Amino acid sequence: MWSIIAGGLIGLLAGRITKKGISMGIVANVFAGLVGSSVGQSLLGSWGPSIAGMALIPSIAGAVIVVTVVSFFTGKK
């Protein structure tokens, strides 16, 4: 449960950073946060503060990448 909440917050932050979060919806933001956390930690490691087992800075960076890629393929602005 904490992972879903943390993923949602990470996805929300990534959506706000890219300015595409509102057009994607809540479910897509949670998905982007969870997948982005995995991508970010794979690429950047698990350094910095963490919440629910997710390192925040790499997770947010990964979620920004996921939100950007998803919005590119779905055509949402």
Side-chain angles (χ1 to χ4, degrees), residues 2 5 10 16 26 35 41 55 59 64 68:
W2 285 112
I5 293 170
I10 291 168
R16 297 249 171 146
I26 293 171
V35 173
Q41 289 184 50
S59 296
V64 166
T68 303

Side-chain angles (χ1 to χ4, degrees), residues 15 19-26 28-29 67 71 74-77:
K19 305 217 185 325
K20 296 175 172 103
I22 295 172
S23 65
M24 289 180 59
I26 293 171
N29 280 336
V67 167
S71 65
T74 61
K76 301 220 176 188
K77 294 183 178 183

Side-chain angles (χ1 to χ4, degrees), residues 19-67:
K19 305 217 185 325
K20 296 175 172 103
I22 295 172
S23 65
M24 289 180 59
I26 293 171
V27 174
N29 280 336
V30 171
F31 179 75
L34 293 172
V35 173
S37 176
S38 176
V39 169
Q41 289 184 50
S42 294
L43 294 175
L44 302 172
S46 58
W47 51 274
S50 64
I51 184 168
M54 298 180 214
L56 290 178
I57 296 169
S59 296
I60 292 170
V64 166
I65 293 168
V66 170
V67 167

